[in-house]
Amino acid sequence: MKIFEPVGFRQAFPALQQPTVYLDSASTALKPQTMIEAITAYYATNTATAYRSLHPQAQETTRALEQARLQVADLLHASSFQQIVWTKGVTESLNLIAQSYARSTLQAGDEIIVSELEHHSNLIPWLIVAQQTGAKVIKWQVDSTGSLSLHDYQQCLSTKTKIVAISQMSNVTGYAVDIEKVIKLAHKHSAVVVVDAAQGIVHHPLNVTELDIDFYAFSAHKLYGPTGLGVLYAKTELLAQMPVWHGGGKMLKTASFAGFEALPAPQKFEAGTPDIAGIIGFNAVLDWYQTIDWQQAEQYTCHLAELAEQRLSQMSGFTSYRAKQSTILSFTIKDIHHSDLALLLAEQHIAIRTGELCAQPLIKALGVSGVIRASFMPYNNASDVELFVTALQNALVILTED
């Protein structure tokens, strides 16, 4: 039976024993004890590599890595575990798509639609491949609230559209576009859709098969897992046609000075020794993940963000950029620089993120130089909100003194 009980959930995270109020989870989530124990156990008792040696420890490691791949496929409702590729993170996943799939298929004059709310990791790879191929990046513009209009999207689509790159959820506002409609409209134009799920998967993993998603990428560290590990899901037929991006050991059948023969996907994209400890740790996270009622956890977390927004809205000069039903609260205080507030909050042991949040086009579209972002997770509580609000009030007293 899946449950969510706030106090018990919070106790799973040893980092919360520190005095800091952690409100920077959109950057990276805290790690549950079960992940820490799994990684420690691997380094303490095994440390064998995978996919090579025949001794029992190596075989055990290989099985653990493939079990994790199966768990990710199950999480995403992928039709096959072979559609799951291990990467270093969502950034590498998106660059892999750009440099393998896009670079080998795009021609001069082709178009790539990229929304204006994207994190730089889902913008820069497309700018690079456009320069390499002569393709053109088309901006899907946000409105004054940071939202995307499907009408505007349809105006961007054309017979030249080959790729649509879209975030499942903005890391600045928490806004989420209707991915299902985005995909259906793109497929009518025979374009493929790349979904950056770095933020969105934490709150609502998508069913990649049901939605007919072409590419779906995320980082483990935002889903309570380790840093340096990412996942790329892709349709089988797309992986089959994509050329090798980088080479080395473990990704080939034969090699000579005359050439090499690569293994099929996903192995052909996993050259070298993988992040074994990270994958084992993430497998433990996914085991734990299955025990939680995430619908209740999400409702609880949204309530915390709403509570913080309500309290801060009473302050003079407060402007919120939070989307409805979002766990992310980005805001500004009129005539107060975001960096000044961040420094004073840090001195009071409040961990938040500030600035352009690796989303310069969106920040510019919102008409600000930067924002303060408090991002909540189910391990936060009402006390965190009160401490955050009090610290912000203290900071404003200092910054507005004559």
Side-chain angles (χ1 to χ4, degrees), residues 140-170:
W140 177 8
Q141 191 168 330
V142 298
D143 62 22
S144 59
T145 68
S147 302
L148 294 168
S149 162
L150 288 173
H151 173 75
D152 291 345
Y153 172 53
Q154 289 177 287
Q155 298 300 113
C156 294
L157 287 164
S158 73
T159 56
K160 297 180 180 180
T161 305
K162 303 302 177 184
I163 297 171
V164 176
I166 181 69
S167 174
Q168 182 182 343
M169 175 179 168
S170 167

Side-chain angles (χ1 to χ4, degrees), residues 223-258:
L223 192 63
Y224 306 99
T227 58
L229 177 66
V231 167
L232 169 61
Y233 159 85
K235 288 181 176 177
T236 301
E237 59 270 26
L238 295 176
L239 288 172
Q241 74 180 71
M242 290 164 59
V244 169
W245 182 36
H246 55 206
K250 197 179 71 62
M251 47 72 68
L252 51 84
K253 292 181 180 178
T254 61
S256 71
F257 281 92

Side-chain angles (χ1 to χ4, degrees), residues 37-90:
E37 291 175 354
I39 291 176
T40 300
Y42 167 71
Y43 281 127
T45 64
N46 191 331
T47 321
T49 192
Y51 304 110
R52 292 177 173 86
S53 303
L54 297 178
H55 58 82
Q57 292 93 334
Q59 294 297 299
E60 179 185 342
T61 299
T62 299
R63 285 193 294 271
L65 267 57
E66 289 309 307
Q67 174 59 30
R69 199 190 303 270
L70 283 166
Q71 289 234 64
V72 172
D74 183 63
L75 175 70
L76 304 183
H77 300 277
S79 59
S80 169
F81 68 94
Q82 293 176 313
Q83 297 171 310
I84 306 301
V85 179
W86 297 119
T87 66
K88 294 177 182 176
V90 68

